[in-house]
Amino acid sequence: ASKYSTPAPNDKARILVLGDASVGKTSLVHLICHGTVIPGAPGYTVGCNAEVKLHERHNRNYFIEFMDVGGLAKYENSRSMFYSNINGLILVHDLTNRKSYNNLRRWIKELLLQISSNRNTNWTLKDESQSHATHAHHGSSSSMVAAKSVHILELEHDDKASTSLPLLVVGNKAELASASEYTGFLGADQLGRDSLAVSSHDPRAFDRGTHSGEKLEALINRCLERSLAQYTSYGRVDRLSYRPIIPLPSLPSASSTSSSEGSPRGYDAPSSPRSQRARAASSIP
């Protein structure tokens, strides 16, 4: 159990998980959220399967929502309802099925068609660094020892009204394929070169200290930064530090107020019962 308090309702981030049917998205999400291998063989996901992971950062707890969207073609027209309000993206492919990797570009295009205001699907990848604290284990305890830089991808597209999306590419079913079978086609471009090779049947695949675990944690932290820096009624506020990101709107000056009620220009002060009766009497012919 976590030693920190229960997260507030808005202390969360949402990560979309996309990929072809049968690549193992549901098994991966279960492993990430629960740290255990999913029992049995899960069936096809109908619609969306949502799982929640409790994530600790800066001595606080956060909810991380993973939206595992069904990959069957017959759901193509309905699954876009799950593409809104996301803070990050995980693309999953099958290391034994090269076609599932090639189809990742189709999934990116389908997503961008829904989230771009101008329906522009042109995209590029940017390599960013995320500061990540490592843990030293001493028996049953652990301590923070250093911060190192972990590279994660950002999916950028030509819609200037939208921000880029932190991205993690995961190749599943590593236990069924040798590295020599998939390193060739994965090394052809940046999307493949940054792909993880994991097995959803390995309960330690995303353990802290492993390469996959560090990449996943860096993605989650970047998604939290995107989620927690949001607009509030007081301006855009970074809720990790509670400091404004952009200047707060200035208050109306004395010269900008008008009317005998003293209300700011553009707003109607509530009328008193006496003034309402006076207006009603003056309207009688």
Side-chain angles (χ1 to χ4, degrees):
S2 173
K3 60 183 178 180
Y4 304 120
S5 60
T6 302
N10 292 328
D11 286 346
K12 64 182 180 181
R14 177 174 293 174
I15 299 176
L16 187 66
V17 184
L18 296 179
D20 286 359
S22 300
V23 297
K25 300 187 298 297
T26 300
S27 298
L28 275 175
V29 169
H30 181 92
L31 177 60
I32 290 171
C33 293
H34 304 285
T36 60
V37 176
I38 192 170
Y44 290 116
T45 300
V46 177
C48 177
N49 177 50
E51 293 267 16
V52 178
K53 174 182 174 65
L54 196 63
H55 180 72
E56 297 177 3
R57 190 187 187 205
H58 295 171
N59 299 330
R60 292 181 63 180
N61 280 336
Y62 298 92
F63 290 127
I64 309 300
E65 301 174 347
F66 290 87
M67 309 297 288
D68 164 25
V69 178
L72 290 174
K74 63 181 179 180
Y75 301 130
E76 182 175 356
N77 294 329
S78 60
R79 58 184 171 230
S80 61
M81 69 177 67
F82 306 111
Y83 291 175
S84 60
N85 301 319
I86 60 172
N87 308 112
L89 175 64
I90 295 179
L91 294 175
V92 184
H93 64 98
D94 181 347
L95 291 170
T96 68
N97 183 354
R98 181 171 181 171
K99 183 180 179 181
S100 69
Y101 170 74
N102 294 336
N103 284 342
L104 295 184
R105 288 159 179 78
R106 180 179 61 81
W107 285 104
I108 293 175
K109 181 179 179 180
E110 180 178 310
L111 172 63
L112 295 184
L113 278 173
Q114 299 300 322
I115 66 174
S116 300
S117 61
N118 58 5
R119 298 183 66 83
N120 192 323
T121 59
N122 295 328
W123 57 275
T124 57
L125 291 176
K126 181 174 66 172
D127 195 347
E128 292 289 327
S129 296
Q130 174 76 36
S131 179
H132 175 73
T134 57
H135 294 71
H137 295 272
H138 310 282
S140 59
S141 63
S142 64
S143 59
M144 309 289 283
V145 296
K148 69 177 183 177
S149 179
V150 178
H151 291 277
I152 61 173
L153 293 178
E154 294 269 348
L155 179 65
E156 293 189 322
H157 52 101
D158 291 349
D159 183 2
K160 302 305 180 183
S162 302
T163 59
S164 58
L165 278 175
L167 168 66
L168 184 65
V169 184
V170 180
N172 193 20
K173 305 184 183 181
E175 79 282 7
L176 300 179
S178 63
S180 60
E181 294 176 0
Y182 56 78
T183 52
F185 66 85
L186 290 183
D189 56 23
Q190 188 177 11
L191 197 66
R193 286 192 295 271
D194 278 84
S195 175
L196 299 178
V198 302
S199 170
S200 57
H201 292 289
D202 179 6
R204 305 193 64 181
F206 293 101
D207 277 1
R208 272 182 170 168
T210 65
H211 176 64
S212 299
E214 290 176 349
K215 296 275 277 190
L216 176 64
E217 186 164 359
L219 173 81
I220 291 175
N221 288 338
R222 179 61 61 87
C223 293
L224 273 174
E225 291 172 2
R226 298 298 176 91
S227 175
L228 300 179
Q230 60 182 333
Y231 284 94
T232 71
S233 58
Y234 299 102
R236 196 178 182 199
V237 175
D238 182 351
R239 287 180 28 244
L240 288 175
S241 62
Y242 293 94
R243 289 194 293 268
I245 295 176
I246 61 176
L248 301 180
S250 58
L251 295 175
S253 62
S255 60
S256 66
T257 60
S258 62
S259 82
S260 59
E261 302 286 345
S263 61
R265 181 173 300 167
Y267 295 88
D268 294 326
S271 302
S272 65
R274 178 177 297 178
S275 62
Q276 292 174 358
R277 288 195 297 270
R279 284 198 300 270
S282 63
S283 64
I284 298 175

